Amino acid sequence: MYEIKPVAGRDYPRTWVEFEDWFVSDEACTAYLEQLRWPTGFCCPACAVMDTPGRATRGRLICRACRHQSSVTAGTIFDKTRTSLRVWFAAAWYITNQKQGVSALGLQRVLGLSSYQTAWAMLHRFRRAMVRPERDLLAGTVEVDEIYLALRRGTGVKHKRPGSRGHDGSHLVTVAVAVEVHQPTGFGRIRLRRVQGPTLDSLLPFVREHIAPGTKVHTDGSAI
């Protein structure tokens, strides 16, 4: 039986060396995740009985009361994945230790994944999991603007407004952006959302949903 070193929910590897010491195998990662998910002991998701589960192949946990089979990854971002749990943990450590953000290509390179699609899917799951359902509204001083994203491959981000001279905007989508501005310099939290267009009717709902009342909002002459 693997004797886990860190306490789940309290201890976090500060360095890559520490990560490798703590999570040497999938079994170590499973033990950590099990402790994190059931800190007071296994609780059957079917009958809610708390008891030491039976253990079957492929990491399945069997409730001794109702014989329901489950796993520590069921209902998590690791559910139904063929990727090693240790690779998932390594990806989590890497993503949360990068100050400039992480791309799927970069994640693929660091983890040595053979498939870009696997790296993209992992990063997408992590990004969704890191969004708090009830996030605080932006406050203080907030700058609001819109940008235009090109749908055609290779055309990049467009900052021109559709309709300007020599510019075909038929392939562009409008994205509203709000960012907290810190004084004297720097930026805080950011919110983005695709909107129908740079109109008052499209942008005001975005502002009301993401910016706290009483906030000083700056724009550069946009519709709001």
Side-chain angles (χ1 to χ4, degrees):
M1 180 69 179
Y2 176 78
E3 184 178 352
I4 194 167
K5 296 179 182 179
V7 176
R10 187 192 70 186
D11 298 328
Y12 183 83
R14 293 163 295 180
T15 66
W16 179 249
V17 172
E18 197 167 51
F19 174 89
E20 289 189 311
D21 286 342
W22 290 2
F23 304 113
V24 296
S25 64
D26 271 9
E27 289 73 22
C29 296
T30 300
Y32 183 89
L33 187 60
E34 187 171 328
Q35 188 187 48
L36 184 65
R37 187 166 187 181
W38 299 299
T40 58
F42 174 75
C43 180
C44 177
C47 68
V49 168
M50 296 184 65
D51 192 7
T52 303
R55 297 182 184 272
T57 58
R58 293 181 295 176
R60 289 175 297 172
L61 304 175
I62 304 175
C63 175
R64 299 183 186 276
C66 70
R67 309 305 297 174
H68 174 78
Q69 294 189 18
S70 60
S71 73
V72 69
T73 58
T76 73
I77 62 172
F78 313 117
D79 194 16
K80 298 178 181 178
T81 176
R82 297 180 180 179
T83 304
S84 161
L85 193 56
R86 188 170 187 268
V87 173
W88 276 98
F89 273 40
W93 189 90
Y94 177 73
I95 291 170
T96 54
N97 278 274
Q98 302 306 303
K99 295 182 179 180
Q100 305 300 325
V102 175
S103 68
L105 188 61
L107 189 63
Q108 179 190 8
R109 186 185 307 113
V110 168
L111 298 180
L113 299 173
S114 59
S115 168
Y116 171 84
Q117 286 72 21
T118 298
W120 184 92
M122 292 176 69
L123 189 57
H124 182 65
R125 287 196 186 189
F126 275 121
R127 284 173 174 168
R128 291 190 63 182
M130 288 190 291
V131 175
R132 286 193 300 150
E134 297 181 1
R135 295 176 294 175
D136 296 334
L137 299 178
L138 303 185
T141 300
V142 176
E143 185 166 336
V144 177
D145 202 351
E146 65 271 357
I147 62 173
Y148 300 90
L149 299 180
L151 294 179
R152 290 200 295 263
R153 182 183 297 274
T155 51
V157 178
K158 300 294 185 180
H159 295 282
K160 278 186 173 183
R161 285 175 170 75
S164 59
R165 181 176 297 180
H167 183 75
D168 176 15
S170 60
H171 64 292
L172 301 180
V173 296
T174 306
V175 176
V177 182
V179 58
E180 289 179 333
V181 180
H182 291 169
Q183 299 297 335
T185 60
F187 300 98
R189 298 169 298 162
I190 188 172
R191 299 287 184 266
L192 301 96
R193 170 171 292 179
R194 178 175 176 175
V195 294
Q196 291 298 317
T199 65
L200 194 63
D201 289 342
S202 295
L203 293 174
L204 271 181
F206 168 77
V207 170
R208 291 179 179 134
E209 183 176 349
H210 296 287
I211 300 177
T215 299
K216 182 184 294 184
V217 177
H218 290 175
T219 71
D220 64 347
S222 65
I224 61 170

